[in-house]
């Protein structure tokens, strides 16, 4: 197994509809490719963890870095992992006014203090610090 973690900045202000579409599109594409992970969005910034076979993860990341919905893609981690940390594709967003996110498959609320508990103790300590820092800092650089 392999993972890549990156942070980027959204172009413009994604709407609720934009984020819903991204959620649905990502779940469909990544399921077909055997990719799992986590995508967090907060205050115009994304933080994503991609997990899967190395070649596939690298191919997905290559497409992501040229995606025009975001800029300033910064790779934070790239390497082998013993096993998947996020066995199902999940996305978290800064809570918006719409309750629709709560009904979408894969939605997690990263502002709950225990949002990563289901993945402990598998999650690496440095990864846990990185993800929680992103959430606590409202999407700004960890």
């Amino acid at each position: 197994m392999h993972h890549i973690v990156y942070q980027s900045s959204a172009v413009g202000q994604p709407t609720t509809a934009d984020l819903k579409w991204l959620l649905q599109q990502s779940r469909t594409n990544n399921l077909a490719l055997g990719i799992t992970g986590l995508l967090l969005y907060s205050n115009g910034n994304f933080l994503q963890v991609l997990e899967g076979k190395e070649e596939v993860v690298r191919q997905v990341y290559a497409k992501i870095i040229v995606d025009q919905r975001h800029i300033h893609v910064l790779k934070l981690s790239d390497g082998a992992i013993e096993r998947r940390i996020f066995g199902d594709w999940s996305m978290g967003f800064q809570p918006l006014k719409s309750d629709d996110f709560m009904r979408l498959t894969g939605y997690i609320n990263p502002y709950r203090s225990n949002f990563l508990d289901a993945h402990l103790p598998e999650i690496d300590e440095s990864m846990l610090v990185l993800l929680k820092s992103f959430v606590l800092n409202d999407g700004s650089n960890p």
Side-chain angles (χ1 to χ4, degrees), residues 48-128:
Q48 185 165 22
V49 179
L50 300 168
E51 304 170 321
K53 293 183 179 179
E54 182 175 2
E55 180 181 325
V56 179
V57 169
R58 292 195 184 286
Q59 288 171 356
V60 169
Y61 182 71
K63 290 180 182 179
I64 287 170
I65 60 176
V66 297
D67 188 314
Q68 296 188 5
R69 293 176 287 192
H70 64 162
I71 56 174
H72 309 301
V73 179
L74 175 64
K75 190 186 300 181
L76 303 173
S77 181
D78 183 347
I81 54 175
E82 285 187 35
R83 62 182 180 271
R84 295 175 193 268
I85 296 170
F86 303 100
D88 56 348
W89 182 257
S90 299
M91 294 180 113
F93 297 97
Q94 180 176 356
L96 300 173
K97 294 183 191 236
S98 172
D99 290 334
D100 291 340
F101 284 120
M102 296 303 289
R103 292 187 287 275
L104 290 173
T105 302
Y107 176 82
I108 61 169
N109 182 349
Y111 291 92
R112 286 190 342 237
S113 62
N114 64 345
F115 87 102
L116 290 173
D117 287 356
H119 303 290
L120 300 174
E122 302 94 20
I123 194 165
D124 177 80
E125 179 74 24
S126 60
M127 177 73 73
L128 181 62

Side-chain angles (χ1 to χ4, degrees), residues 6-8 10 19 22 39-41 44-48 70 134:
Y6 73 88
Q7 183 172 356
S8 65
L19 294 172
L22 180 60
L39 176 61
L40 298 173
Y41 172 79
N45 293 295
F46 294 101
L47 180 87
Q48 185 165 22
H70 64 162
F134 181 85

Side-chain angles (χ1 to χ4, degrees), residues 123-139:
I123 194 165
D124 177 80
E125 179 74 24
S126 60
M127 177 73 73
L128 181 62
V129 169
L130 177 68
L131 295 173
K132 285 191 174 186
S133 174
F134 181 85
V135 171
L136 294 174
N137 294 318
D138 288 327

